[in-house]
Amino acid sequence: MSNTSEPQIFPNEAEQQVYPFEFRGTGMEYFKIWIVNVLLTIVTVYIYSAWAKVRTNRYFYGNTVLDNSSFEYHVKPLQILLSRIIAAVILVAIVFGQNVHPGVALVAWGVIVVFYPWVMWRSLRFNSQMSSYRNIRFGFDGKLSTLYFIALGLPIIIIAVLAGFTYLSTFGPKPLFAGVLGVSVFIFYGLWPWFAKLMSSYQLNNLRYGTTPFSAALKTLSFYAVFGKALVLFLLPALIVGALAVIANFMGIDAAGGV
């Protein structure tokens, strides 16, 4: 009897085919769509913006190809226009209400903050259901309670903890307060990449194609890398301008160009 055993190949270990995404649009095509959208939006006093959004999304969806098939965007312009009219009416009501009583605006913005996760949740469900690939619609099964925790509960907890430590530091020497305040601000902004990763994971891992759910293993370090690059690109011009200003001052050159 031979002691060597040949490797077995199970059906569920079959090689999977990978299909890359492909975008077949061109910059000139999109520029023509964009310039027409801008002009018509201005002429129609923003009313055409709903049609502009649908036209733009259909262009990008239709030119995004996977396995030689493109995506489709099924939203009607009137659906977007209705939602924007409702938002405009609410905004106008807040502005006029603020003139009646200053507290109206505060209460209104508080209500908006509370309902913002629900609006985001409805938007995710709506946009996914209005997108399709090969005549099969996408769907979104994320829980509203989870989004409320991520988008509202978690930021409140973080702000409350940082504010609490900052407040306690006021009972100590002034340098301690300044240090704690600076650290709190740094921690708050430093958590943004992690927060963005949570939101992206919630959106992607609750999507489905027909009845097949999506699965995305996002890495937190990748988000910090992107945010870090963006921060460098934002700070680099400021550092260059600052360095040139210091050099000009050191050389005795004033704003008029004199010495």
Side-chain angles (χ1 to χ4, degrees), residues 10 26 42 45 51 67 74 82 86 99 118 148 178 180 189 208 210 220 230-231 233 244 247 251 255:
F10 296 95
T26 64
I42 294 173
V45 195
W51 280 262
D67 191 22
H74 304 280
L82 179 60
I86 295 174
N99 295 329
W118 178 82
Y148 259 98
V180 172
Y189 283 102
R208 56 178 167 79
T220 305
L231 183 62
L233 292 175
L244 292 176
I247 294 173
M251 297 178 63

Side-chain angles (χ1 to χ4, degrees), residues 132-143:
S132 69
Y133 174 72
R134 290 180 173 175
N135 296 322
I136 298 178
R137 297 285 182 115
F138 291 87
F140 185 79
D141 299 323
K143 294 182 178 180

Side-chain angles (χ1 to χ4, degrees), residues 20 36 41 49 51 60 100 110 112 114 130 155 172 175 186 188 194 197 225:
V36 172
T41 299
S49 64
W51 280 262
F60 282 106
V100 176
I112 291 175
V114 171
M130 291 297 165
F186 177 80
F188 180 76
W194 172 71
K197 183 258 184 181

Side-chain angles (χ1 to χ4, degrees), residues 178-196:
V180 172
L181 180 61
V183 171
S184 298
V185 173
F186 177 80
I187 292 175
F188 180 76
Y189 283 102
L191 290 174
W192 273 109
W194 172 71
F195 178 75

Side-chain angles (χ1 to χ4, degrees), residues 74-84 126 130:
H74 304 280
V75 177
K76 304 297 183 182
L78 289 177
Q79 294 173 299
I80 297 176
L81 182 62
L82 179 60
S83 64
R84 292 185 174 179
F126 177 77
M130 291 297 165

